[in-house]
Amino acid sequence: TQLLEQSPQFLSIQEGENLTVYCNSSSVFSSLQWYRQEPGEGPVLLVTVVTGGEVKKLKRLTFQFGDARKDSSLHITAAQPGDTGLYLCAGATTSGTYKYIFGTGTRLKVLA
Amino acid sequence: NAGVTQTPKFQVLKTGQSMTLQCAQDMNHNSMYWYRQDPGMGLRLIYYSASEGTTDKGEVPNGYNVSRLNKREFSLRLESAAPSQTSVYFCASTSRRLTNEKLFFGSGTQLSVL
């Protein structure tokens, strides 16, 4: 069973602070995706990283895929209350058939 | 464009009752998935269907069955509900025309088993 561990599990910070969320696995993934989920809704894709070592930026969010494609990080600069939500990483496997395994989640709260 | 539609949105069952969660997508996607999400947690894959006519077990398939009725519809059945199946259930789909396509999610079904 593939397992994607996220850390930290919970994070409460003040507006303007920086933070990093980690997503780690012992398995190799063909790609890794980051989603954000609001209460009462399904997750919504933020970004997909495919190549080992790849870095993608989405405004104040920076995503990195590990060189070995086993881990990833999400860095938020100058967090805002609108960043509050549940952040989920998801690894895509191609061993036989496509399936997406989700991480354990990081619940972020940004205080004004 | 409706995307992924799940019904019902809420359901309360007694232990031992059965029910079917319905999911339909109108994006002509090949692959469909059922996940469950427990409070404050990530999503765990129950079953998936890589293409019409195929289904496979995910991480937590015990106590569930699925049917890929056609390309649009993928249903999840609880034959004899247990309190441990209290959760929010999400259906998702993706096209798989390209590698690493994103998942489109429904809005979820909140299920309570008493």
Side-chain angles (χ1 to χ4, degrees):
Chain A
T1 301
Q2 293 158 320
L3 188 64
L4 271 170
E5 290 282 351
Q6 285 184 237
S7 61
Q9 190 175 0
F10 300 99
L11 193 54
S12 181
I13 61 172
Q14 294 291 326
E15 182 177 4
E17 292 184 1
N18 301 332
L19 68 116
T20 302
V21 177
Y22 299 94
C23 175
N24 295 295
S25 175
S26 58
S27 301
V28 176
F29 294 101
S30 63
S31 68
L32 199 132
Q33 300 177 329
W34 284 92
Y35 290 79
R36 190 170 87 183
Q37 185 179 19
E38 305 289 345
E41 299 178 7
V44 175
L45 181 72
L46 294 172
V47 78
T48 300
V49 285
V50 179
T51 307
E54 182 177 2
V55 177
K56 279 193 175 178
K57 291 193 174 183
L58 185 66
K59 296 183 180 178
R60 294 176 294 100
L61 279 61
T62 302
F63 305 85
Q64 184 163 8
F65 202 11
D67 291 341
R69 291 186 290 131
K70 294 182 178 181
D71 55 83
S72 181
S73 64
L74 157 62
H75 182 79
I76 301 179
T77 302
Q80 298 177 0
D83 296 326
T84 294
L86 180 66
Y87 288 82
L88 298 161
C89 62
T93 73
T94 56
S95 55
T97 54
Y98 253 97
K99 62 181 180 179
Y100 296 77
I101 302 298
F102 278 78
T104 47
T106 295
R107 186 164 297 281
L108 171 65
K109 187 169 186 177
V110 182
L111 305 169
Chain B
N1 195 355
V4 179
T5 303
Q6 289 183 237
T7 56
K9 286 192 68 67
F10 301 94
Q11 183 70 50
V12 178
L13 294 177
K14 294 181 180 178
T15 298
Q17 287 186 318
S18 62
M19 79 160 295
T20 300
L21 280 63
Q22 306 287 351
C23 175
Q25 51 88 13
D26 60 3
M27 296 172 283
N28 200 36
H29 283 172
N30 294 312
S31 300
M32 297 184 74
Y33 307 80
W34 276 106
Y35 290 90
R36 61 175 286 175
Q37 184 175 36
D38 298 321
M41 302 288 288
L43 283 74
R44 291 186 291 171
L45 182 62
I46 305 172
Y47 269 93
Y48 64 105
S49 172
S51 60
E52 185 179 358
T54 68
T55 60
D56 287 283
K57 294 178 181 180
E59 302 167 273
V60 288
N62 292 344
Y64 305 95
N65 285 302
V66 290
S67 295
R68 185 73 183 268
L69 304 169
N70 47 56
K71 193 171 186 180
R72 289 188 63 246
E73 299 172 288
F74 188 38
S75 62
L76 177 72
R77 182 160 178 84
L78 286 70
E79 290 291 351
S80 179
S84 61
Q85 294 178 305
T86 293
S87 191
V88 180
Y89 291 83
F90 287 98
C91 177
S93 69
T94 187
S95 67
R96 282 187 58 205
R97 288 179 293 109
L98 301 172
T99 57
N100 312 310
E101 289 279 352
K102 73 176 183 179
L103 290 168
F104 290 80
F105 283 87
S107 56
T109 295
Q110 190 166 326
L111 174 67
S112 294
V113 183
L114 307 177

